[in-house]
Amino acid sequence: TDMAKHAETMTRLAAFIDNLEQEGESVAVPWHWPAKPPATADEEQRAVWKRLYQEEFIMELFLHAADIGNPTLPFPQWVKWNRLVQREFHDQGDRELAEFGELISPPAGFDRNSTVMAEHAFTKGFMQYLCLPLFQKLHDLTQLPCRSSVCRGVNISGCLDNLKKNIEAWEDYKPTREATEPREDDEDDGQD
């Protein structure tokens, strides 16, 4: 997961939604700025360019959502996947320590010696401050009555509902070291 572009993606998504809400009106800054259609393009070619650029951006958005979307799974399945992700984070932290002599990533999530409560708070923050805003904006985008939106009518309300429920359930979940460490049965195909 490359989170380096998350903030930029969220900014572009907000501008994209704003532009679609003002469809047909002149907007000060198009969502795709600084990209623009070729200077020699006629009106039809500009429309095709905008449509293709929009499709590419929507694919990037949903790929990013899929990449960080584990918390949108039903809670028992998400807890299982979260253990696996936590192991991956710990392995990355180990590599950072070996290669750089210190952690580059946040210790609460990547240091295998961090406390269970620190890992719990890290996970809650990931869900609440990264996943939820992205999925809420994607939901807003899919609900726009704009005919030019390529994702009009897509329904991600189940994902958003699960995410909200999981944030609440995680708040009540009392972690133990065993709850955050992968179990042997976590190695299967992820099906319950």
Side-chain angles (χ1 to χ4, degrees):
T1 303
D2 183 4
M3 295 302 292
K5 294 177 71 176
H6 181 80
E8 176 187 341
T9 298
M10 292 298 292
T11 300
R12 288 181 66 206
L13 177 54
F16 182 55
I17 291 171
D18 183 60
N19 281 204
L20 288 176
E21 288 174 334
Q22 298 178 42
E23 185 179 40
E25 299 175 26
S26 178
V27 292
V29 179
W31 71 270
H32 49 76
W33 183 86
K36 56 186 175 183
T40 59
D42 62 26
E43 190 172 327
E44 183 179 331
Q45 290 168 325
R46 278 194 295 277
V48 168
W49 179 89
K50 286 180 182 179
R51 181 77 173 184
L52 291 174
Y53 205 75
Q54 182 185 142
E55 288 172 358
E56 183 179 318
F57 182 55
I58 296 298
M59 284 190 296
E60 289 174 15
L61 287 171
F62 279 92
L63 183 61
H64 181 51
D67 192 28
I68 68 170
N70 278 343
T72 66
L73 296 170
F75 191 76
Q77 189 176 5
W78 172 73
V79 169
K80 185 177 184 176
W81 277 101
N82 187 56
R83 282 194 298 267
L84 295 170
V85 169
Q86 193 63 58
R87 178 175 25 176
E88 182 182 327
F89 285 177
H90 287 164
D91 290 346
Q92 179 179 330
D94 293 345
R95 285 190 304 276
E96 289 175 5
L97 286 170
E99 187 172 338
F100 306 116
E102 64 182 347
L103 283 172
I104 306 302
S105 301
F110 291 80
D111 184 356
R112 75 176 60 252
N113 297 316
S114 67
T115 67
V116 174
M117 291 311 293
E119 288 178 3
H120 188 267
F122 176 83
T123 300
K124 181 181 178 220
F126 177 78
M127 290 191 298
Q128 195 166 2
Y129 301 114
L130 293 173
C131 293
L132 183 59
L134 175 63
F135 277 86
Q136 184 61 61
K137 283 285 187 196
L138 284 175
H139 177 71
D140 295 347
L141 174 63
T142 62
Q143 301 306 302
L144 289 176
C146 175
R147 293 184 336 170
S148 65
S149 174
V150 298
C151 62
R152 183 179 63 152
V154 172
N155 186 353
I156 65 164
S157 60
C159 294
L160 187 58
D161 290 344
N162 274 348
L163 178 55
K164 290 176 180 178
K165 289 175 190 173
N166 288 348
I167 290 170
E168 287 181 27
W170 192 247
E171 185 70 32
D172 297 333
Y173 190 69
K174 300 299 179 218
T176 63
R177 181 55 64 191
E178 295 76 35
T180 61
E181 291 178 351
R183 297 186 310 235
E184 285 186 30
D185 64 334
D186 288 340
E187 299 297 328
D188 67 12
D189 63 358
Q191 302 297 315
D192 287 332

